[in-house]
Amino acid sequence: MKARSRRHRRHSALLVRRGRARIMIDCGTDWLKVRAGVAPTAIVLTHAHNDHAAGLASGTSCPVYATEETFDGIARFPIEDRRVVEPRAPFHVGGVSFEAFKVEHSLRAPAVGYRIGSGGASVFYVPDVAAIREPRAALHGVSLYIGDGATVVRSMVRERDHALIGHAPITAQLGWCEKEGVDQAIFTHCGSGIVTSDARKVAARIAALGAARGVAASIAYDGLTLSFPRRSK
């Protein structure tokens, strides 16, 4: 994220709190000097791009969960407690369940999204995505989709070596939500078209695009706090 604003100051990250657990999902360069203030008890990574992982360049005292490909991409970081995540193999951190799903985004830094569950409800978190390889398994029954806000309508997806790379537009992701019955979506890791525009106008536009798909859609911002959603029926 190169563009900045008062509402979008740092690389996107998600903090999941349950009891004493403080699970930070992604930790980009911007968090390198301020991560201590977050005081995570664990860190979970989606992929190895700097804006998602380089906040760990000086190491960390807490366990880090990531796929083997992601750890390969940050092998130079002095992380002592590396816990390898296998796609489609659920695991628990601090009483919160996680399941990684492979997504298309980058060849050099293979990415995953996470289905995150607590108390019978679940959300899906995927801040960088061109396509989800198993969309039904990833999204069916999910109460909230937290997705890629790089672009609203214009596709930034291209094909390379028979794989998709880049960023799916918000409109495409809303289509995924509509198809799988996800009725709420929030978009994070926003591109310059959102970050530098009038926040009220952007919010209205995203809400209207979501309403057309039967999805309550909005844009994330720094400091946004949510209670874990109730399970969809």
Side-chain angles (χ1 to χ4, degrees):
M1 182 186 74
K2 295 182 180 180
R4 311 277 174 165
S5 73
R6 181 178 57 84
R7 294 167 63 87
H8 303 275
R9 292 170 294 172
R10 293 197 178 100
H11 292 136
S12 298
L14 177 68
L15 183 67
V16 180
R17 295 185 295 179
R18 187 178 190 276
R20 295 183 178 181
R22 297 173 60 85
I23 308 157
M24 186 176 187
I25 306 179
D26 285 344
C27 186
T29 308
D30 289 347
W31 294 97
L32 183 60
K33 296 182 178 180
V34 295
R35 190 188 67 239
V38 179
T41 56
I43 296 172
V44 179
L45 300 179
T46 60
H47 61 299
H49 280 156
N50 284 344
D51 54 349
H52 293 267
L56 297 174
S58 60
T60 180
S61 60
C62 70
V64 175
Y65 295 78
T67 63
E68 193 70 61
E69 292 90 346
T70 295
F71 278 132
D72 287 345
I74 58 172
R76 65 193 183 282
F77 296 169
I79 299 170
E80 295 184 4
D81 191 350
R82 298 174 179 240
R83 306 194 183 184
V84 176
V85 170
E86 297 290 344
R88 300 305 313 273
F91 61 99
H92 289 78
V93 184
V96 179
S97 66
F98 288 82
E99 184 175 359
F101 287 80
K102 290 184 177 182
V103 302
E104 306 282 353
H105 168 59
S106 169
L107 296 178
R108 294 184 177 181
V112 297
Y114 287 100
R115 185 169 175 131
I116 307 165
S118 180
S122 59
V123 305
F124 191 75
Y125 183 74
V126 60
D128 274 343
V129 62
I132 301 172
R133 293 187 183 178
E134 299 177 85
R136 182 163 182 79
L139 300 180
H140 185 70
V142 162
S143 302
L144 170 65
Y145 173 88
I146 304 176
D148 185 342
T151 175
V152 179
V153 174
R154 180 175 64 88
S155 177
M156 295 175 65
V157 176
R158 53 200 185 280
E159 186 173 343
R160 182 180 297 168
D161 296 336
H162 306 291
L164 299 179
I165 62 174
H167 305 268
I170 286 174
T171 49
Q173 295 171 75
L174 288 170
W176 305 343
C177 291
E178 178 185 29
K179 183 176 181 179
E180 303 304 338
V182 181
D183 58 15
Q184 185 178 2
I186 298 175
F187 295 93
T188 188
H189 206 45
C190 298
S192 59
I194 290 175
V195 173
T196 62
S197 297
D198 181 275
R200 292 183 181 180
K201 291 181 179 179
V202 169
R205 184 185 186 194
I206 299 304
L209 289 170
R213 296 281 195 172
V215 180
S218 59
I219 296 295
Y221 55 86
D222 290 1
L224 175 64
T225 301
L226 300 167
S227 296
F228 219 90
R230 295 181 179 180
R231 179 172 54 191
S232 297
K233 295 180 180 180

